[in-house]
Amino acid sequence: MIEVHDGLFCLHTKSTSMLLRRTAFGHLELVHYGAAADAADADALAVKRTIAYGCATNYAANDPTYCLDVVPLAWSGEARGDYREAPIEWDTDLGAASDFRYAAHEILDGAAIMERLPQARTPDQTLAITLTDEAGAELILFFSVFGDTDVITRRAVLKNTSDTPITVKKLMSSLLDLPGRFVMTTFSGGWIAEARAERVPVGAARVVNEAVTGFSSNRHNPGFLLSEPDAGEDHGRVYGFNLIWSGNHYAAAQRSFQGITRVMQGVSPADFAKKLAPGESFCTPEAVMSFSDAGFNGLSAHMHDFVNRHIVPAHWQERERPVLYNSWEGCGMDFTERRLVELAKKAAKLGCELFVLDDGWFGARNSETAGLGDYAVNKKKLPDGLTGLADKLRALGLDFGLWFEPEAVNPDSDLYRAHPDWAITEPGREPVYGRNELLLDLTRPEVRDYIVDSVGAVLDSADIRYVKWDMNRHSTALGAKAYDYILGFYDVLRRIFAPRPEILLENCASGGNRFDLGVLCFGPQVWASDDTDPIERLDIQNGLSYLYPLSCMGTHVSAAPHSQTLRQTPLSTRGNVSFFGLLGYELDLKFLSSVDEKDIRSQIEFYKKYRSLFQFGRFTRLPAPEGETRWQVAREDCAAAGMFYRLAPAAPGMDELRLADLAPKARYTVMARQQNLRVGDFGELVRYVVPVRLNPKGVVMSTADSIYVMPDCAEVMEASGAALMSGIRLENRYAGTGYNENIRMLRDFGSRVYIVQKQKEWGDSET
Ligand code: DGJ
């Protein structure tokens, strides 16, 4: 809800408020952003200004206390006394200075629609404040309120109202001056190591989170947090920020000597320059922000609800996603229809619902060096074409999904031979390649038309229900071209998928090189990482979980030892980690033993039973001892908790399971998901449980290993919600002194998943 009282703008969500005030000189002061507050609180909440600071540049001769350097602002400019970082840099007829002051405002129901940029759906209201600058420019700041999810979004539109061109070199989507000390958490990394949470105190030196690879990037996710230094997962004040944008981005935080932290976010100004002719406008992407005084988990809950309700396409909102099988890690580009159908038969038998044919199905695409760009089916591999394969999959009860990488081209392709100028290169220089690819110039309409037509034709040629849209190199396009490239990318996605809303679109860019809110506006899920090692995935999924819900993370089970880490992890752990996301399988099913098959079947059955809980339940990062990770998802009457261990200690102590979000008085049954131990994992230790001496590497043992399993400890307990939230004690862990059915056998990289079911007589009780 938005109210305006005589120059005071109050934006309220369910439990937060933002108060903005027009100062006597027309600047936009940020009076408050945080917990709910009233208009009547504005004077008390405002930062006081009763003294003149030394070494200050005064804005006005008649008020020595009005120095822009010390006013907490929601927008600022340059060369008028605010020496903090400016949200705008430009060249105008009046030079580089800027001073935007209030001209008008308007409250709109719902959103102010953007034509070319994706934006969050269905806000309650939008406040548009128009500021003007003497150089001949109008700046409209849009604030949209998403009351149900405690999110406010912001963006800026700059219009050249002068009669000479203006060059914009930097224009942020949002600027906030927040009183207080903060720690900034960013989610950084690289290929197969995305979204590692890193914490840096924000001090007098500027902290920057920026991507300049052309995409939102696996190096620096655009989302970040600012928290008070003592905040934790379940307590303390935390702000969260993100950007609905898939290109170069920039965010900075810096504390002034008065203790006010300036935080801004928007498109990266690196090499950026956009010339605006008279009458032309430039529109920034929409920035997303939220506040919680219930710690990081509280903040994550707001962001998750926001993505689920206001970002993903309406068709996919709360719609359960299929368990998929993807051909990539199992067979790469080396397949025939026969091999695929064999895999599909197994996948269907195991319970998968969707079969995704990954890279290698078209043109001369038999390796990474050729074929990209030519979307004609390779008839040697698929003699009956895509329809033939789709029909065979349908007969097995599977939906069909297909991989594309439409933005890139291999120089060794018919497309490149016909249109070498469609590829982005740097004039007069030798091209630089990434994975033997160049990017197509999506700023050109004919290139976009080619992609829309060729991908659209394939999608209409067979019964295709899912698309994996990949992109495997960094861009070299600079500045404004990098910005226009992303607009071109959005145009292509809109034209392909808006008329086909029921196709499930999963974005991917070498894994998580484009995990952002921009792509989520077009398709509800993103392949989180090419790293499918479950232990690495704990950090990646944990990092992403701060700002993105499980319903948008592709999480697949792959082979062990893992191709990137050589780590040998139990199948149970590979499944348990993948349950916390969108479950899929990517391994060669041909070599599964019968016990592996049985285990996978039971994993899929389990996931399907609790699918809506895992995909849409409230997610919490639970407290865990050093080196362990614990997660929970909860809905009204049921929760699931995952406990993930790394190295197994000798003589482990007792383990406590402490849950969250339960009804304190209701009674719950806690049950460990039944998982099995592999006979082969015990090597010569089997001598303790079988009367004969067996060669641990012999035929008897390896046969036993593929047929028999030993059930892991079956734990069942009953407790009140209050006891579970205070912490219940689990069965003892194995300590080298014997094995029985009440010992939790947790070796290196072991894990357990518990289902916590509210007992029937407590119905939907919240007490
Ligand atoms: C990179 C993706 O992240 C992988 O999952 C796979 O689709 C390959 N590209 C195919 O080339």
Side-chain angles (χ1 to χ4, degrees):
M1 207 246 296
I2 300 174
E3 357 154 43
V4 183
H5 308 267
D6 193 21
L8 178 69
F9 305 95
C10 305
L11 289 74
H12 303 291
T13 66
K14 207 169 46 183
S15 61
T16 74
S17 297
M18 183 183 281
L19 307 187
L20 303 156
R21 186 159 68 181
R22 198 168 94 201
T23 70
F25 298 94
H27 299 111
L28 198 58
E29 177 185 357
L30 180 70
V31 173
H32 168 78
Y33 180 39
D38 284 336
D41 297 327
D43 285 337
L45 288 167
V47 170
K48 307 299 177 290
R49 220 173 36 240
T50 48
I51 58 159
Y53 283 95
C55 213
T57 303
N58 286 339
Y59 184 80
N62 61 354
D63 183 353
T65 67
Y66 194 80
C67 166
L68 285 173
D69 216 22
V70 297
V71 183
L73 294 166
W75 193 259
S76 186
E78 274 203 306
R80 311 301 292 157
D82 186 354
Y83 293 96
R84 297 168 292 176
E85 185 179 357
I88 177 166
E89 286 171 24
W90 64 358
D91 280 332
T92 72
D93 251 14
L94 288 189
S98 55
D99 185 15
F100 285 93
R101 290 183 294 162
Y102 175 86
H105 76 267
E106 190 187 354
I107 297 175
L108 312 167
D109 277 337
I113 301 298
M114 285 192 273
E115 267 172 29
R116 301 177 69 195
L117 283 153
Q119 69 187 119
R121 293 185 294 108
T122 61
D124 305 315
Q125 284 178 306
T126 297
L127 168 67
I129 301 181
T130 305
L131 311 173
T132 52
D133 182 279
E134 291 164 69
E138 186 183 88
L139 180 74
I140 308 180
L141 301 180
F142 291 96
F143 298 80
S144 295
V145 173
F146 298 80
D148 59 336
T149 61
D150 281 319
V151 163
I152 292 175
T153 64
R154 281 189 65 172
R155 62 190 179 88
V157 177
L158 181 74
K159 183 171 182 191
N160 181 355
T161 54
S162 76
D163 47 20
T164 50
I166 288 178
T167 305
V168 184
K169 297 193 215 155
K170 171 182 180 183
L171 185 71
M172 292 288 102
S173 300
S174 159
L175 171 137
L176 293 176
D177 286 341
L178 299 167
R181 274 184 181 273
F182 297 102
V183 173
M184 188 174 187
T185 307
T186 56
F187 302 95
S188 304
W191 177 65
I192 64 172
E194 296 88 343
R196 306 295 163 122
E198 277 185 15
R199 304 214 150 113
V200 191
V202 179
R206 190 180 297 165
V207 184
V208 169
N209 184 52
E210 183 176 24
V212 293
T213 57
F215 303 106
S216 48
S217 103
N218 46 25
R219 300 181 180 200
H220 309 281
N221 193 278
F224 65 100
L225 310 170
L226 284 186
S227 53
E228 288 191 342
D230 59 355
E233 288 291 0
D234 294 308
H235 65 275
R237 297 179 186 182
V238 184
Y239 294 90
F241 300 89
N242 212 337
L243 201 61
I244 306 179
W245 180 240
S246 310
N248 288 342
H249 60 83
Y250 179 85
Q254 187 169 24
R255 190 160 45 84
S256 72
F257 74 100
Q258 282 85 11
I260 295 170
T261 297
R262 170 160 291 184
V263 52
M264 64 178 69
Q265 53 179 156
V267 170
S268 164
D271 301 310
F272 184 83
K274 187 98 187 160
K275 204 166 191 169
L276 296 184
E280 273 185 353
S281 298
F282 176 72
C283 184
T284 71
E286 191 171 17
V288 172
M289 58 207 71
S290 184
F291 167 83
S292 170
D293 54 14
F296 296 106
N297 275 320
L299 189 278
S300 298
H302 296 172
M303 290 300 199
H304 293 181
D305 289 346
F306 175 71
V307 174
N308 280 328
R309 293 184 206 164
H310 299 288
I311 291 290
V312 301
H315 180 84
W316 292 102
Q317 199 179 320
E318 287 261 346
R319 191 178 286 254
E320 292 187 8
R321 315 293 162 67
V323 176
L324 65 81
Y325 176 80
N326 178 299
S327 64
W328 180 245
E329 290 198 29
C331 51
M333 299 184 207
D334 178 20
F335 53 80
T336 55
E337 188 194 80
R338 204 160 137 203
R339 182 156 180 216
L340 294 176
V341 173
E342 255 169 39
L343 281 169
K345 276 186 188 152
K346 273 251 166 102
K349 221 169 96 196
L350 296 174
C352 292
E353 297 156 311
L354 165 70
F355 185 92
V356 180
L357 175 55
D358 209 283
D359 199 353
W361 57 268
F362 51 83
R365 186 80 176 153
N366 297 312
S367 77
E368 291 173 5
T369 59
L372 210 51
D374 306 333
Y375 291 102
V377 179
N378 178 330
K379 289 282 188 157
K380 272 200 197 131
K381 290 181 185 176
L382 302 172
D384 297 333
L386 294 175
T387 357
L389 179 61
D391 290 347
K392 290 177 186 99
L393 296 175
R394 169 87 26 246
L396 293 168
L398 289 167
D399 282 344
F400 177 35
L402 199 57
W403 179 96
F404 293 86
E405 190 180 348
E407 295 160 77
V409 65
N410 285 131
D412 184 1
S413 66
D414 294 341
L415 180 67
Y416 185 81
R417 281 183 282 273
H419 301 283
D421 59 311
W422 281 12
I424 297 178
T425 53
E426 294 65 51
R429 295 177 193 274
E430 276 298 302
V432 282
Y433 298 97
R435 211 191 187 210
N436 311 296
E437 296 168 13
L438 294 171
L439 284 176
L440 292 170
D441 188 349
L442 267 56
T443 68
R444 293 173 60 169
E446 66 275 29
V447 176
R448 299 202 297 272
D449 290 348
Y450 169 79
I451 296 177
V452 171
D453 293 347
S454 56
V455 174
V458 175
L459 293 181
D460 295 339
S461 73
D463 187 7
I464 295 169
R465 303 281 174 96
Y466 161 107
V467 166
K468 179 174 173 188
W469 184 292
D470 202 349
M471 194 281 299
N472 284 298
R473 62 157 294 172
H474 295 313
S475 173
T476 51
L478 292 174
K481 183 148 189 156
Y483 173 89
D484 289 339
Y485 178 98
I486 300 297
L487 293 189
F489 166 59
Y490 291 148
D491 176 56
V492 163
L493 287 185
R494 192 175 293 118
R495 285 163 61 196
I496 295 176
F497 294 101
R500 303 173 179 90
E502 68 299 332
I503 292 186
L504 174 56
L505 168 63
E506 176 156 357
N507 266 280
C508 165
S510 307
N513 197 19
R514 210 183 227 171
F515 207 110
D516 62 64
L517 297 181
V519 294
L520 282 167
C521 288
F522 296 93
Q525 56 196 62
V526 185
W527 178 225
S529 175
D530 274 356
D531 191 343
T532 47
D533 176 307
I535 303 307
E536 296 290 306
R537 271 301 184 110
L538 288 175
D539 290 334
I540 295 170
Q541 291 172 213
N542 202 67
L544 290 171
S545 77
Y546 281 89
L547 292 161
Y548 302 94
L550 302 195
S551 63
C552 68
M553 277 179 223
T555 52
H556 298 176
V557 171
S558 62
H562 191 262
S563 59
Q564 286 144 4
T565 58
L566 302 181
R567 190 179 280 125
Q568 182 73 49
T569 48
L571 180 55
S572 51
T573 294
R574 285 177 269 154
N576 291 342
V577 174
S578 301
F579 293 154
F580 287 83
L582 303 169
L583 179 67
Y585 288 80
E586 291 223 12
L587 67 170
D588 192 346
L589 303 176
K590 184 169 179 171
F591 301 115
L592 293 179
S593 66
S594 64
V595 292
D596 285 342
E597 282 185 17
K598 223 163 135 201
D599 273 359
I600 291 181
R601 207 171 303 127
S602 95
Q603 288 178 345
I604 295 179
E605 228 169 75
F606 170 81
Y607 183 78
K608 285 181 179 168
K609 181 165 176 201
Y610 296 104
R611 173 165 20 203
S612 84
L613 175 66
F614 282 110
Q615 297 185 351
F616 300 106
R618 179 180 162 124
F619 175 83
T620 305
R621 290 170 297 274
L622 295 172
E626 183 69 27
E628 292 177 24
T629 301
R630 297 183 181 182
W631 295 327
Q632 180 190 309
V633 279
R635 289 208 119 169
E636 304 70 46
D637 55 351
C638 188
M643 300 179 76
F644 303 98
Y645 301 83
R646 284 179 172 83
L647 298 186
M654 69 93 198
D655 257 346
E656 181 180 88
L657 176 64
R658 199 191 304 174
L659 300 178
D661 297 322
L662 304 179
K665 290 192 187 143
R667 291 203 70 76
Y668 291 85
T669 304
V670 181
M671 196 186 297
R673 187 182 91 78
Q674 178 55 53
Q675 56 193 41
N676 296 319
L677 306 166
R678 289 288 184 282
V679 175
D681 287 347
F682 289 87
E684 66 168 276
L685 297 178
V686 286
R687 74 174 187 269
Y688 292 110
V689 288
V690 290
V692 281
R693 271 188 81 196
L694 292 174
N695 175 355
K697 299 208 170 68
V699 182
V700 177
M701 271 291 278
S702 67
T703 311
D705 185 48
S706 63
I707 304 175
Y708 298 112
V709 287
M710 295 155 69
D712 198 356
C713 170
E715 281 172 289
V716 184
M717 276 180 269
E718 207 202 283
S720 66
L724 284 161
M725 289 192 286
S726 143
I728 59 163
R729 316 273 132 66
L730 299 172
E731 297 288 5
N732 293 142
R733 284 171 70 172
Y734 177 75
T737 50
Y739 161 75
N740 67 46
E741 66 283 4
N742 294 321
I743 294 176
R744 290 186 310 136
M745 302 293 285
L746 288 156
R747 62 178 177 105
D748 284 356
F749 317 119
S751 64
R752 304 275 281 172
V753 164
Y754 294 87
I755 285 293
V756 183
Q757 184 74 51
K758 197 193 265 179
Q759 293 179 352
K760 279 230 160 32
E761 56 275 29
W762 291 90
D764 287 335
S765 133
E766 285 302 323
T767 49

